[in-house]
Amino acid sequence: MKTRSRFWLVLLAAIFLLPVLVPAFATLYTEWLWFDSVQNLGVLKTRLLAKWGFTVAGILLSTVWLGGNLLAAARMGPRRPIVRRLESGLGIDLRDQTLALAFVGTAVAALAAGLAAGDQWETWLRFINGSLFGINDPVFNQDIGFYVFRWPFLQFVNGWGLWLVGLAFVGSALVHFGDQLRDGRIQLRQDTLMHLTLLAAVFLGLKAWGFYLQRYEVLYSAHGALHGAGYTDLHIRLPAYNLLAIILGAAAVLVLANLYLRKAWPIWVPLAVWMVASFVMLDIAPAVVQRLVVTPDELSRERPYIAHSIDFTRQAYGLNAVEEIPFAGDQILTWEDLAANQDTMSNIRLWDWQPLQRTYRQLQEIRTYYEFGDVDVTRYTLSDGPRSVMMAAREMRTDQLSEQARTWVNEHLIYTHGQGVVLNAVNEVTEEGLPRLLVSDIPPRSSEPVLQIDRPEIYFGEADNDYVIVGTMEDELDYPQGDANVYTRYEGSAGIQLDNLWRRMMFAVRYGDMSILVSSSIVGDSRLLFHRSIQERIRNVAPFLWLDNDPYMVITEGRLVWIQDAYTFSDRYPYSEPAPLANRKVNYLRNSVKIVVDAYDGHMTFYAFDPDAPVLKTYRLIYPDLFTPYDEMPAGLRQHIRYPEDLFSIQASMYLTYHMRDPQVFYNREDLWQPAIEVRGDGEVQMEPYFVIMRLPGEDKATATGEFMLMLPLTPTGKDNMVAWLYADSDGEDYGQMGVLKFSKQELIYGPRQIEARIDQDATISQQLSLWNQRGSQTIRGNLMVIPVEGGLIYVEPLFLQAESGRLPELKRVIVAHGNKIAMRETLAEALAEVFSGAAPALAGPTDDRPVVEGDLSTATLLAQSAQLHYQEALRCLSAGDWACYGREQTALAADLEALVELTSEPEPQAD
């Protein structure tokens, strides 16, 4: 009977546990294979060793502590069997039942404590490997590294210790008094008193240490006019924490002393004082002092602490290095100015990513199972110089196959990868209003050598694709060609080789897909590719990095690779205002890592971009083989790195307030800024940062070239005039240099919303927009670009037209504004020509040396012909983007026309 019971017990346990344990083991085993395949098995080993080592250590320590206390309590009382003969028959002794339950509870509590400890494995690794920041806080004079790396672990230890001591006290008390509960009488024995007194003293000591650690929280206070410790925090809350720690420490000593005093007051008096002091000093006193002392004289009381908040927030977000450049912004520009800034003028972005994405999808997706998920802006040095371009990857989406085609073989063996990219210059448009593509079609073609792609297949991308199996009996679809398809076979080394039945079984369990196990198409050379989303792939290796939302693709040496910006961060930087980062808040952020992922074989390289960043230095100690020095990044890739948009957006959101360095100005919020407002669709939205190639005003024209920058126009809060233009450099030695062009507050500099209003108020433009909208078309206003040139500003807004029945936006007009002039024309060159007409200096006579004879028709004819030639040549120069040439031809044209007017005009009648 006993053997049969054990059999059914084991069978029942297997029925409940196997469905949990087998998939968990399969996941762990296949992840082990994956980490090994991407050459990061050491990362997984470190993670598992720390997690399970810390878990086991927590379980053992908890078991020893809790079990030791319960055994000690049991030994202090009378020993009785759990089941004994009572007067009324067999029964269960209440004390012994309590003892048994206490030991069962100990086992459960020890397991829970160990799992809780295991969850803190990374906190432990950061604690023992923490780096110094080299900056001390102004209150406790501790290095910032203490708060980022050490303090969190000390808080965990304190809380974990309190929990264990509290459980030991409760469990021991139940064992001590269990035999007395049945009779309703509790007698306190000397050994029991000593045991419980020691536990109470340890608990109070840990609580005192907790208040000592809690005092550091004043550095993150959000009370009053600043983020960080203010007047009330330092004069009331901080002394309160210190006093409460002393009171509880004294209480622990008195509790121990009471073993000899044997009085009641050494226990309840300190506890009563602690509760009263806690209520008065942490709840009542801060509110009273804030209301009666600080609020009536807040600026003078909080001034030094506001200064701390400004300094440390600027440090935490890297704003201390922002270069402030005075900028007039109201200079009236000439053709000579435009010609001298040709790098800027020839890279003004006309294509807006949203209309361009729809255009890509209509023209270049080719098949329904391809998709352009995102459009990125980058730059290349082409045959005609540095060019800003927009590009998108053509990725595979098997979920867009027809229902009949969505078979297991198609989704996992045949439709395995995307194909190439589409790329166009940001400012080039065909006669039909479509982008002029520099890379297009399948397979991708380009006339530019630097844009040639030899390996266009995309197995790893932004799309969240399922696993695929390559090297099977089935050929993979490479690309469609007419009515047929071209097929290929994978030649890379990525993935897990399915060379034995065990691996196939483990993957079948992991994905709940028996086809992996039974398919005859899978052979010994087949390889299973999973974690194919680049962000999922990176997070699996380095979950401690926060990833920028916008990875971008680069063509380099004939291959397609992804560049992903990653951040190290913390929410423990003293005196720094928190900022939202996705679903959490941080108050310290650095772009410490740039990750390169090959689109064909999925190889990942983690480049330590900011090796001196303290958080990155700590993780390099934890994972010594994960990061590659940035100096080892190939030069071809370094040319394409760019300043990350998420970081710039967060820095800009902080700079809107923290450009004010004077505590009084900051306190009064006298100079708050906001991102400029523009018209998008049917409403108004805040402008988003955008990339441009330009030369900053004031740079040496002879040596400086246009640089790739991320920028954002800013206006005063609640107003529309522009007050500043924030930028971050992405090129060469100046990478990461942030600056702000600050406009004069004495002059009106039009903001984007004011320019949008002028566009709406222009009779010709508004009439044309209304006419298009009435004819069944939809007008789409693109990004309004604000371009600094010399000491002035040029505003450029593209206008797209889209038929209501179609999804193909066409760039039909470009609006240019400068000074008091505004124009809408079919091309940027024509709009610039109208706005800047008459800006070029006129010459005194015709462009050749022939004499002009009054009334000479042949001379007039020659002048007219010369003017026509100069006009045609000017248009050619505009089409080529040669502003210097266009300026010269405009000057010559103006001279011809003036001479022609003077030649043909009638003389004024003489007075009698």
Side-chain angles (χ1 to χ4, degrees):
M1 184 69 179
K2 183 181 295 185
T3 302
R4 181 177 298 179
S5 298
R6 288 177 179 175
F7 170 78
W8 287 110
L9 185 62
V10 171
L11 180 62
L12 185 63
I15 291 175
F16 281 101
L17 292 179
L18 285 179
V20 176
L21 296 179
V22 172
F25 175 78
T27 299
L28 178 61
Y29 175 73
T30 53
E31 285 297 321
W32 184 280
L33 295 176
W34 184 84
F35 272 89
D36 189 33
S37 72
V38 298
Q39 300 175 1
N40 282 306
L41 186 58
V43 173
L44 182 62
K45 288 180 179 179
T46 298
R47 190 183 302 171
L48 292 177
L49 182 62
K51 181 177 179 63
W52 291 109
F54 217 54
T55 299
V56 171
I59 291 175
L60 292 176
L61 185 60
S62 303
T63 301
V64 170
W65 170 257
L66 295 175
N69 275 280
L70 294 187
L71 285 174
R75 289 176 179 274
M76 294 176 188
R79 299 180 181 179
R80 298 180 183 179
I82 293 178
V83 179
R84 66 184 182 87
R85 183 174 299 278
L86 303 176
E87 294 179 0
S88 58
L90 288 177
I92 297 178
D93 181 78
L94 180 60
R95 175 187 181 278
D96 296 319
Q97 182 186 31
T98 303
L99 179 63
L101 292 176
F103 276 98
V104 172
T106 295
V108 174
L111 178 63
L115 294 176
D119 288 339
Q120 299 298 318
W121 64 270
E122 188 173 2
T123 307
W124 161 248
L125 290 178
R126 287 162 59 99
F127 175 79
I128 62 175
N129 293 284
S131 302
L132 297 177
F133 278 67
I135 302 172
N136 289 9
D137 77 275
V139 176
F140 301 103
N141 199 33
Q142 293 272 14
D143 185 90
I144 305 300
F146 169 80
Y147 303 103
V148 175
F149 304 119
R150 298 183 61 83
W151 184 41
F153 183 74
L154 297 177
Q155 288 181 302
F156 159 72
V157 171
N158 179 256
W160 195 69
L162 283 170
W163 189 57
L164 286 180
V165 174
L167 285 176
F169 185 91
V170 173
S172 298
L174 288 175
V175 172
H176 279 302
F177 302 123
D179 60 338
Q180 303 177 33
L181 293 177
R182 179 182 56 189
D183 301 327
R185 295 177 300 174
I186 296 179
Q187 295 180 351
L188 190 61
R189 297 185 296 271
Q190 181 62 29
D191 52 0
T192 299
L193 176 63
M194 180 177 293
H195 185 199
L196 296 182
T197 298
L198 289 172
L199 289 176
V202 173
F203 185 87
L204 291 174
L206 286 173
K207 193 68 178 175
W209 183 40
F211 275 109
Y212 179 82
L213 293 175
Q214 195 173 355
R215 67 196 189 122
Y216 296 122
E217 291 183 0
V218 299
L219 295 173
Y220 309 93
S221 172
H223 302 92
L226 68 147
H227 285 268
Y231 182 91
T232 302
D233 296 303
L234 296 182
H235 290 80
I236 301 299
R237 290 190 178 90
L238 180 57
Y241 289 134
N242 290 330
L243 179 61
L244 292 172
I246 293 172
I247 291 173
L248 286 175
V253 173
L254 286 174
V255 166
L256 288 175
N258 198 47
L259 289 173
Y260 303 96
L261 298 176
R262 298 185 181 183
K263 303 290 184 179
W265 68 266
I267 297 177
W268 68 261
V269 169
L271 294 179
V273 171
W274 167 61
M275 288 188 290
V276 173
S278 178
F279 175 70
V280 172
M281 299 194 69
L282 292 182
D283 294 326
I284 297 178
V288 172
V289 171
Q290 184 71 29
R291 179 66 185 88
L292 300 181
V293 178
V294 177
T295 301
D297 196 18
E298 191 169 38
L299 178 57
S300 64
R301 299 283 186 184
E302 303 284 25
R303 182 187 293 270
Y305 315 117
I306 292 175
H308 294 329
S309 181
I310 295 173
D311 291 342
F312 278 78
T313 299
R314 289 173 64 91
Q315 291 171 13
Y317 295 100
L319 300 178
N320 276 344
V322 175
E323 182 181 4
E324 296 186 355
I325 305 172
F327 185 71
D330 58 351
Q331 176 184 335
I332 301 301
L333 303 176
T334 66
W335 278 114
E336 284 79 2
D337 295 323
L338 272 58
N341 290 270
Q342 191 154 339
D343 285 347
T344 299
M345 301 306 299
S346 60
N347 284 284
I348 294 177
R349 180 164 65 86
L350 299 180
W351 284 102
D352 190 5
W353 75 269
Q354 291 173 319
L356 183 62
Q357 185 184 51
R358 293 197 288 270
T359 301
Y360 280 174
R361 288 175 174 175
Q362 290 293 317
L363 300 179
Q364 285 289 311
E365 280 188 349
I366 312 297
R367 293 289 189 271
T368 58
Y369 45 76
Y370 288 129
E371 181 180 74
F372 295 109
D374 189 21
V375 179
D376 295 308
V377 181
T378 184
R379 77 286 199 193
Y380 289 87
T381 300
L382 305 181
S383 56
D384 57 350
R387 300 300 301 273
S388 182
V389 301
M390 305 180 78
M391 66 184 298
R394 187 184 291 106
E395 298 195 53
M396 174 66 69
R397 291 299 301 265
T398 56
D399 58 347
Q400 296 181 7
L401 289 168
S402 65
E403 287 297 324
Q404 295 80 3
R406 293 193 63 181
T407 64
W408 184 84
V409 171
N410 277 341
E411 290 187 322
H412 298 285
L413 307 186
I414 296 178
Y415 292 85
T416 57
H417 60 274
Q419 178 64 235
V421 301
V422 59
L423 181 149
N424 66 282
V426 297
N427 61 343
E428 295 188 5
V429 187
T430 66
E431 293 181 357
E432 296 82 13
L434 301 176
R436 189 173 78 84
L437 301 179
L438 301 178
V439 180
S440 61
D441 301 334
I442 302 177
R445 298 180 295 107
S446 177
S447 60
E448 290 283 347
V450 72
L451 299 179
Q452 296 291 335
I453 305 174
D454 303 320
R455 181 58 79 185
E457 300 91 344
I458 302 174
Y459 285 86
F460 301 89
E462 291 187 85
D464 188 17
N465 283 323
D466 204 351
Y467 72 90
V468 297
I469 304 176
V470 298
T472 67
M473 298 294 290
E474 303 287 343
D475 290 334
E476 304 168 50
L477 171 70
D478 198 18
Y479 56 87
Q481 190 176 61
D483 295 331
N485 291 328
V486 176
Y487 292 89
T488 188
R489 299 189 69 80
Y490 184 67
E491 299 175 355
S493 59
I496 310 301
Q497 190 168 354
L498 302 177
D499 55 358
N500 58 63
L501 187 63
W502 170 253
R503 289 187 176 184
R504 293 176 65 173
M505 183 172 65
M506 287 294 97
F507 277 107
V509 172
R510 173 178 180 138
Y511 289 106
D513 193 339
M514 290 299 296
S515 297
I516 300 175
L517 183 62
V518 303
S519 174
S520 60
S521 297
I522 300 176
V523 295
D525 292 332
S526 299
R527 309 180 73 86
L528 189 144
L529 279 59
F530 64 116
H531 292 321
R532 295 199 299 135
S533 164
I534 58 172
Q535 292 204 337
E536 175 193 359
R537 196 172 183 81
I538 294 168
R539 288 192 180 103
N540 206 39
V541 174
F544 52 86
L545 296 175
W546 195 271
L547 304 184
D548 191 90
N549 285 321
D550 190 25
Y552 54 99
M553 179 166 276
V554 168
I555 304 171
T556 176
E557 298 180 354
R559 298 181 71 91
L560 299 176
V561 300
W562 297 95
I563 298 180
Q564 172 70 66
D565 286 290
Y567 308 114
T568 52
F569 59 92
S570 176
D571 57 2
R572 298 296 184 106
Y573 203 93
Y575 271 110
S576 176
E577 179 177 344
L581 183 66
N583 58 351
R584 65 178 301 160
K585 287 192 173 184
V586 301
N587 65 1
Y588 169 84
L589 195 64
R590 289 293 184 272
N591 177 213
S592 302
V593 183
K594 290 185 183 290
I595 304 130
V596 176
V597 184
D598 192 286
Y600 186 73
D601 62 23
H603 178 73
M604 295 176 288
T605 306
F606 292 75
Y607 288 103
F609 186 69
D610 185 6
D612 295 327
V615 179
L616 178 60
K617 289 171 69 175
T618 296
Y619 282 114
R620 293 185 76 178
L621 292 173
I622 297 173
Y623 305 109
D625 299 325
L626 177 59
F627 298 98
T628 300
Y630 174 68
D631 294 341
E632 297 182 16
M633 178 183 280
L637 280 177
R638 286 203 298 268
Q639 294 175 1
H640 294 289
I641 64 170
R642 68 184 195 184
Y643 203 84
E645 293 184 62
D646 285 353
L647 174 61
F648 184 79
S649 296
I650 291 176
Q651 288 176 316
S653 68
M654 291 291 106
Y655 197 74
L656 298 177
T657 301
Y658 285 92
H659 70 276
M660 297 179 286
R661 301 185 192 182
D662 182 86
Q664 182 169 349
V665 175
F666 182 93
Y667 173 80
N668 293 324
R669 298 297 198 266
E670 296 177 13
D671 195 20
L672 282 177
W673 295 349
Q674 67 180 21
I677 304 296
E678 66 172 341
V679 174
R680 295 297 300 274
D682 297 328
E684 293 182 332
V685 297
Q686 284 190 342
M687 294 187 72
E688 298 178 351
Y690 53 87
F691 287 98
V692 295
I693 289 182
M694 62 169 293
R695 183 172 58 232
L696 287 173
E699 290 187 340
D700 187 353
K701 298 180 178 64
T703 58
T705 59
E707 296 192 342
F708 195 59
M709 297 185 179
L710 188 58
M711 55 155 291
L712 180 65
L714 305 173
T715 66
T717 299
K719 296 184 179 180
D720 296 330
N721 61 290
M722 199 148 63
V723 67
W725 187 87
L726 186 66
Y727 71 88
D729 204 322
S730 292
D731 276 338
E733 295 180 356
D734 293 330
Y735 179 92
Q737 175 60 55
M738 294 187 69
V740 59
L741 303 183
K742 298 186 70 172
F743 303 128
S744 171
K745 296 181 180 180
Q746 282 70 45
E747 300 292 337
L748 172 62
I749 306 298
Y750 287 123
R753 178 187 266 174
Q754 292 170 321
I755 295 296
E756 300 278 18
R758 289 180 58 196
I759 292 172
D760 293 333
Q761 293 165 6
D762 185 279
T764 303
I765 297 176
S766 62
Q767 182 180 8
Q768 183 64 65
L769 296 180
S770 299
L771 183 62
W772 277 328
N773 287 326
Q774 291 171 4
R775 291 183 176 179
S777 298
Q778 177 188 4
T779 57
I780 304 171
R781 289 161 78 157
N783 286 123
L784 178 64
M785 310 290 289
V786 183
I787 311 297
V789 177
E790 300 297 335
L793 295 173
I794 301 175
Y795 305 83
V796 179
E797 182 175 79
L799 195 64
F800 301 90
L801 195 63
Q802 177 178 286
E804 290 185 355
S805 58
R807 300 293 297 170
L808 183 61
E810 299 175 357
L811 201 161
K812 287 301 185 183
R813 295 291 186 272
V814 179
I815 302 172
V816 173
H818 172 68
N820 293 320
K821 294 184 178 181
I822 189 168
M824 181 177 72
R825 289 293 179 266
E826 292 187 6
T827 67
L828 173 61
E830 293 174 358
L832 287 170
E834 179 169 338
V835 168
F836 290 94
S837 62
L843 299 180
T847 58
D848 56 41
D849 296 329
R850 289 170 298 139
V852 177
V853 180
E854 184 175 350
D856 188 344
L857 184 59
S858 62
T859 303
T861 302
L862 291 173
L863 283 171
Q865 292 173 346
S866 176
Q868 183 180 24
L869 290 173
H870 285 306
Y871 173 72
Q872 293 172 347
E873 186 66 14
L875 291 181
R876 186 193 66 77
C877 295
L878 282 174
S879 299
D882 191 340
W883 301 104
C885 171
Y886 184 78
R888 291 193 300 270
E889 295 300 328
Q890 282 286 309
T891 299
L893 174 60
D896 282 347
L897 293 176
E898 285 188 3
L900 185 60
V901 170
E902 183 179 352
L903 179 67
T904 58
S905 60
E906 296 182 1
E908 295 183 3
Q910 300 292 326
D912 293 336

